[in-house]
């Protein structure tokens, strides 16, 4: 299973915030650290706010931080939130897609089981488990 770049960036943001929970970061700071588009990262941040994973504040002393402790944020819940529009194959879309094999297909249940196993494995870890180590953070 390949995660969308959007989800990759979301996980990076959360791991970075978890590495320094007392600090507040701007989108520009993180975009520079990750060497990615600030515009794209802004969309990811907005989605993480909607999901209740981070908080943002404008103005002096503003920036973003985790909305709750990193050990309370499961990787599986983050991936489920950020990948909610993702479907492994067309027939796994919410509307069932345009699959002509629907009545006899034996693939879909196996793909859904594999996806469930993948997410269940992610449920065993938290953002705290993946926070950047102190020596990996650039000064």
């Amino acid at each position: 299973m390949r995660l969308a770049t959007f989800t990759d960036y979301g996980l990076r943001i959360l791991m970075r915030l978890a590495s320094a929970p007392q600090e507040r970061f701007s989108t520009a700071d993180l975009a520079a650290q990750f060497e990615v588009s600030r515009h794209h990262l802004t969309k990811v941040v907005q989605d993480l706010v909607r999901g209740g994973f981070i908080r943002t504040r404008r103005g002096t002393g503003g920036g973003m931080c985790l909305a709750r402790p990193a050990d309370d944020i499961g990787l599986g819940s983050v991936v489920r939130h950020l990948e909610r529009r993702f479907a492994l194959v067309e027939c796994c879309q919410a509307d069932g897609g345009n699959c002509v094999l629907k009545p006899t297909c034996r693939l879909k249940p196996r793909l859904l089981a594999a996806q469930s196993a993948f997410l269940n494995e992610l449920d065993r870890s938290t953002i705290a488990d993946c926070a950047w180590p102190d020596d990996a953070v650039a000064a």
Side-chain angles (χ1 to χ4, degrees):
M1 182 173 173
R2 180 177 170 88
L3 297 176
T5 302
F6 193 87
T7 302
D8 177 24
Y9 291 168
L11 291 169
R12 288 187 209 186
I13 290 167
L14 294 173
M15 291 185 305
R16 180 63 179 107
L17 297 179
S19 72
Q22 70 288 354
E23 292 182 40
R24 294 199 173 261
F25 295 87
S26 71
T27 305
D29 293 335
L30 295 181
Q33 286 181 23
F34 301 155
E35 298 178 1
V36 299
S37 161
R38 180 177 173 209
H39 178 72
H40 189 65
L41 215 59
T42 298
K43 292 177 184 179
V44 178
V45 166
Q46 291 169 346
D47 202 2
L48 290 171
V49 169
R50 279 191 297 274
F53 300 107
I54 63 174
R55 289 189 315 250
T56 59
R57 186 179 342 153
R58 293 178 184 258
T60 305
M64 72 182 89
C65 63
L66 294 177
R68 56 187 190 269
D71 56 3
D72 288 345
I73 302 173
L75 293 178
S77 65
V78 175
V79 170
R80 281 181 187 90
H81 175 76
L82 295 175
E83 292 281 336
R84 63 192 175 277
R85 291 179 288 275
F86 175 76
L88 286 173
V89 292
E90 187 170 351
C91 65
C92 291
Q93 294 176 7
D95 66 0
N98 293 320
C99 181
V100 297
L101 304 176
K102 270 185 198 174
T104 59
C105 181
R106 296 181 185 168
L107 178 62
K108 181 178 178 178
R110 288 167 173 80
L111 290 175
L112 292 175
Q115 182 177 13
S116 178
F118 174 78
L119 292 168
N120 288 339
E121 180 60 30
L122 290 178
D123 286 336
R124 297 175 53 186
S125 299
T126 67
I127 291 297
D129 297 326
C130 301
W132 287 17
D134 290 336
D135 60 349
V137 178

